[in-house]
Amino acid sequence: DLAGPNGTVAMLLRLSFLAPRASQPLLWPPAGEPLRRPPFHTLYTLTPRPSFTGKGTDAADYGVFVWRIGIQAGARVKPLIWRS
């Protein structure tokens, strides 16, 4: 709602965000239900696994999820090469 009718929202999230039941309405609607929010437009997976502390990784995989309001294209997944 804060992005407006043609805005873009990008969030750095763990890839485990894809799995929980609570995340499902943000990603895609349940079968047979109308689309209330646009599905994410692009997911940029971070590779290699980043270290946010400089002391090694936390054993979690991350990605940048991008929602583009007003664009109903299917989700795309692309690598984003992380350079520290």
Side-chain angles (χ1 to χ4, degrees), residues 14 48-62 82 84:
R14 289 181 176 194
R49 187 179 286 157
S51 171
F52 295 106
T53 64
K55 298 178 183 176
T57 68
D58 62 0
D61 295 305
Y62 290 87
W82 181 264
S84 53

Side-chain angles (χ1 to χ4, degrees), residues 39-78:
F40 69 88
H41 181 267
T42 308
L43 166 57
Y44 296 96
T45 58
L46 298 183
T47 184
R49 187 179 286 157
S51 171
F52 295 106
T53 64
K55 298 178 183 176
T57 68
D58 62 0
D61 295 305
Y62 290 87
V64 177
F65 290 73
V66 179
W67 286 266
R68 296 188 66 200
I69 311 306
I71 296 178
Q72 298 298 323
R76 299 180 296 179
V77 178
K78 297 180 175 184

